[in-house]
Amino acid sequence: AWFVCVPFQIMSSQLNLPQMWIEPEEVLLVGALWVSERANPFFILQRRRGHGRGGGLSGLLVGTLDVVLDSSARVAPYRILLQTADSQVYWNIACGSSRKEITEHWDWLESNLLQTISIFDNDEDVITFVKGKISGIIAEEKRLKQGEEQEEDSGKFREAELKMRRLFGMPEEEKLVNYYSCSYWKGRVPRQGWVYLSINHLCFYSFLLGKEVTLVIPWMEVTQLEKNATLVFPESIRVSTRHTEHYFSMFLNINDTFKLMEQLANIAMRQLLDNEAFAADRSLPKPCKTLKNVSTLKRDFDARAKNERYRAMFRLTQDERLDGHTDCTLWTPFAKMHIVGQLFISNNYICFSSREEDLCQLIIPLREVSIVEKADSSSVLPCPVSISTKNKMTFLFANLKDREFLVQRISDFLQRTPDSSWFDTSPPSLIGSSVCQSYLTLFGPGTQSVCMYRTSRTRELVLNGIPECLRGELWLLFSGAQNELATHPGYYGDLVEQAMGMCSLATDEIERDLHRSMPEHRAFQNETGIAALRRVLTAYAHRNPGIGYCQAMNIVTSVLLLYCTEEQAFWLLVALCERMLPDYYNTRVVGALVDQGVFEDLTRSSLPQLYEHMQELGVISTISLSWFLTLFLSVMPFDSAVLLVDCFFYEGIKVIFQVALTVLLDNMDALLSSSDEGEAMTVLGRYLDNVVNKQTVAPPIPHLHAVLTSGDEPPPEIDIFDLIKSSYEKFGSLSSDVIEQMRFKQRLKVIQSLEDTAKRSVVRAMMTESAFSIEELEELYCLFKSKHMTSCYWGSSSSAAERHDPSLPYLEQYRIDPVQFSQLFSALAPWVCGGHTTTLSSRLFRLLDQNQDQLVNFKEFITGLSGMYHGDMTEKLKLLYKLHLPPGNSSLVAQHNINRDDTLVLDSESSFLSDLDTFQQQEVAPEVKDYRYYLRMWAKEKEPKKETIKDLPRMNQEQFIEFCKTLYNMFSEDPSEQELYHAIATVASLLLRIGEVGKKFGNGGKMQETTSQTLPISAEQEEEPDEGTSGEALLCQALADAQLEPAVLQTSDEENKDDTESSYSVVSSGSLLCEDIAHDTVLIGAEQRQGSTLDVDWSITFEQVLASLLTEPVLVEYFERKMDIQAKMATCKAQRVVERQVSSPSEQELMHHST
């Protein structure tokens, strides 16, 4: 109710028009809160007081009012008014959030409308024409965007989103979900402002009497989110990160705000788990009426919350989408009464849930529905609808508010539902025992159907044990697996065929655990049972590679196979892993750890004295993981544990919590007297081993633990039925909603704890491979991971799934692409090369990317960065040297030269190698090698070979020129810039001559009569220069191109100087003075430049480069200088974590431009 919508439209880019035209509206107070900046006879451009610089006291007051009252979101800071000379009424026709936008408005009006309206005779015609023109533009924009977007947010939210991006520097990819008025407690003083909840960030802004507060918290950094009420912070929301806590209060609707915060934090945790970015739901139905105060994304989140609750309530699949729900009554034939509740309709099901919890629940698959009709209405039964199924069951719903619409929606869904006549979905015959007859009433008299009434009577039957003849089928019904089985015929068989013969880490682990799966049961003491278990586990690993296989899945699956077919067991496993026990069996068993935390919280609240003692012993975390992962199957006799599985499939995870708490309560005295962890584990182990099922016919098989710890006195037996009954009596008030709320709290804690563990593991692994300190490695890891995660939700050249592989070691999991690497390199690298930084970054990326997948992991990143910061002079020069060789330098000329050299070497050596092979075949007798010889050879090949400076390849002339350019750019901002320029010029000149001398010796000491071979570049070759001047001219020209100011050509006197003079003949201390520069075209890098041709026979070695650089003390001092990365990291951290957009021109620049 506190939101006020102001209509405005965003202009389409196809019109090439400004961004914010609005429907013309009257404005009476022109100057009260606004300052006029530009004007002409028909239009006025105004700025709101308090925006921008200046404004004095009035500006501060207006700015404060705008923030507190949210006027800045409702009223843009700039606007354009239409005026006429004789009228006191003004018309607002355009608005903008920045001076740049409003200037574009103004320029368009002056160039397109001003001359036209100046010829009108009266003011009314001017107003009518301009209003009609603006309205026509908006109408055209609406028409163009009808096919692009299903629904636009209200004007209020679009203005608020623009304001959020402007205030916090967010890119266009960051979407605002909602924002609320609240107070942020900074110390003991609350600051009134607005909290903006976007997909990836929580942002707060306040401006009170000139004091500005800006806060940005990425959701991925939130470790705790709580709603509490204290004397200091009344009814507040506490947002905790690893380092700070933030309190927000005075919300108009704190429950709605907190619920949305929970959803956004959950999405962020999901991104940390599997790197899946948020995807908006494009198929949301349009609201029947305009929702002025609800954005599209907020509707999306509300729909997601309803869908999740609906699916959890009725155990439906993840693709099921709730279409709507309504109040009604259901006639129950077994109770002979109408039950009040709600009717839910989705794309595949009609569901009913009673208002009173556990009174009645019903699921009707649409594939089973045959007839939907309106029954006769009466005072006793108003507005009834009858739904008949193919198994001749009839369900009567009444008291429906909109019966016509409901019947039409069901009919629409039925038309899209495939025929199910090919599949038999009815359960087995219920005729036989008295217990089976009790279940008959839940399916309907005289028939069988998947449409089962779930009532309090159903719970009683389940708690007393499901008959073995019905156990498998009822597990399928209770879990929802029956519906997937019915709608996916042949799916399991196809998976088995696809997975057959495939080898992976999951299949290896499955093979290792197959014979450990219930070895005491005869069904798995032969190959038939083992083969069935193998097929089910392998098929699921193939279906869901994100989970693959986890220990404990084999135990659960083996129990499923005892009561179901392979296909049924497979779908039950799907229901367990993907719905009933979410994230339990992934690589880090996150779901089990979350429920372990929930169990600890429940123990703390229910058994506080025992909790404190158990925490001291460290027992709870040890015992609960195995209890929850295997549903007590691994710690309790099978005949007893299977009854818990019955209850689990009907009640869900709450029954496991109840039983676990009851076990602790029954053993409280013995546990309190335990002195160490081993004694406490023995107490619990003996208790669980002696939980028996007295109704079973077969003798129980004791666990090995029970045999070893039984002692002289046999422990008392505990009846499983008594244990279950006791758990409901003592802890039956525990609800699924409470568990879900506790799970959310623990999920934040567990995932952030796992991330901290991963960071510590990475730091430990890299300590031996880099010279950075622990603190520096932790900061670098956070920066690297932040760059990776940013691309997950703001997009990148490659998908997040491709850049994150959970199966790899921690330090290799996160990877970044060349763009992200370049950003980190520019911010952290010690070698600042100005405009050449991007080139150097690209070369280092190619050098580190050894597998050439266009991605670099953290280990590779630290390897490159450590060499620049902590290497000695030789290591730093070696890295620079390698950056200018392939793969670092991907120059076309370099590649051509390498290919040519390789070809020459291969040609020259081929005959020698063939002669050598012939000689060996003739003279050397074959020697018999044993396996130890091959093992030694294999081990030798696997040993990492340390690279020496002699292993580095030679550098050709083009690569050398690029190397000199890089050094020149590195020195451009150094305090000893002039001395370094002189030194590098001396070294470059020396190396050029060394290369010339080496070329002559490389040719056998004979002077070639012909000119050296050159690389043909242009169609018409000019006369080639002398060998002695060719390299220097190339170097001079390349360095001249690299300098900040144009090179100054030498005078004719300087041109006649001898080449052997000082290096100042090539490069002066102030600027690079080039010798005679010919007009030949030469390719340097991938560009054509003016200069001499390249000498492809010229080359130098790294030893020569190193020896030459050592002759200049200033260069030695530069490369031996210790560099500190702390300042770089502090600067990088001080910047906004989010990637800022390109800043718009300043106010003064635009004002100057407009004049």
Side-chain angles (χ1 to χ4, degrees), residues 279-290:
D281 190 348
R282 301 295 182 184
S283 59
L284 278 177
K286 276 195 173 184
C288 54
K289 60 180 180 179
T290 304

Side-chain angles (χ1 to χ4, degrees), residues 675-688:
S675 58
D676 55 34
E677 179 184 0
E679 186 177 352
M681 293 289 292
T682 301
V683 169
L684 293 172
R686 293 182 63 185
Y687 177 88
L688 291 173

Side-chain angles (χ1 to χ4, degrees), residues 69 81 89 107 160 194 197 253 282 341 369 387 466 471 484 596 616 709-710 719 731 899 928 1025 1095 1101 1118 1125 1131:
L69 302 178
L81 303 180
V89 178
D107 293 342
W194 294 84
L197 305 181
N253 189 343
R282 301 295 182 184
V369 175
I387 299 178
I466 299 177
R471 179 164 281 147
E484 288 185 289
Q596 176 181 296
E616 294 176 2
T709 61
S710 59
D719 191 350
F731 303 103
N899 293 340
V928 179
D1095 188 347
T1101 64
Y1118 177 86
I1125 198 174
T1131 303

Side-chain angles (χ1 to χ4, degrees), residues 154-343:
S154 64
K156 174 182 176 60
F157 273 89
R158 284 180 289 183
E159 273 291 337
E161 192 167 52
L162 289 173
K163 179 185 176 184
M164 178 199 71
R165 292 173 185 164
R166 174 172 54 85
L167 289 174
F168 308 107
M170 300 289 182
E172 293 184 2
E173 291 82 2
E174 187 69 3
K175 302 299 182 183
L176 177 67
V177 181
N178 209 348
Y179 69 109
Y180 305 90
S181 173
C182 70
S183 292
Y184 169 60
W185 292 79
K186 192 173 183 181
R188 296 185 177 181
V189 180
R191 304 300 300 269
Q192 183 64 30
W194 294 84
V195 62
Y196 296 83
L197 305 181
S198 67
I199 296 295
N200 304 294
H201 297 86
L202 181 154
C203 307
F204 177 83
Y205 180 77
S206 173
F207 181 84
L208 294 175
L209 299 178
K211 293 185 177 180
E212 187 179 49
V213 176
T214 304
L215 177 69
V216 178
I217 306 174
W219 289 114
M220 288 186 180
E221 295 183 4
V222 174
T223 59
Q224 196 169 4
L225 196 63
E226 285 186 315
K227 182 176 64 174
N228 49 27
T230 62
L231 293 176
V232 181
F233 303 110
E235 200 174 26
S236 62
I237 295 176
R238 183 178 70 179
V239 181
S240 303
T241 63
R242 288 179 175 84
H243 309 293
T244 57
E245 291 183 347
H246 307 276
Y247 289 88
F248 301 89
S249 64
M250 301 184 188
F251 290 94
L252 294 180
N253 189 343
I254 191 170
N255 292 326
D256 182 62
T257 307
F258 185 73
K259 181 180 177 182
L260 181 57
M261 286 182 173
E262 282 186 327
Q263 289 180 282
L264 292 168
N266 259 327
I267 290 175
M269 295 305 104
R270 178 56 55 185
Q271 289 179 356
L272 286 175
L273 273 180
D274 51 28
N275 285 258
E276 289 186 3
F278 170 80
D281 190 348
R282 301 295 182 184
S283 59
L284 278 177
K286 276 195 173 184
C288 54
K289 60 180 180 179
T290 304
L291 302 174
K292 294 183 178 180
N293 297 331
V294 180
S295 69
T296 304
L297 276 178
K298 182 62 169 62
R299 286 183 55 232
D300 187 347
F301 276 88
D302 291 343
R304 286 169 186 259
K306 291 179 180 179
N307 282 329
E308 288 174 4
R309 181 171 176 79
Y310 169 67
R311 290 191 293 259
M313 184 186 301
F314 298 104
R315 307 275 175 80
L316 303 178
T317 57
Q318 293 297 320
D319 57 350
E320 200 63 28
R321 297 162 56 87
L322 179 64
D323 186 70
H325 59 88
T326 183
D327 293 334
C328 69
T329 59
L330 170 66
W331 170 255
T332 53
F334 57 88
K336 301 293 190 279
M337 63 181 293
H338 292 277
I339 297 179
V340 179
Q342 280 192 322
L343 181 68

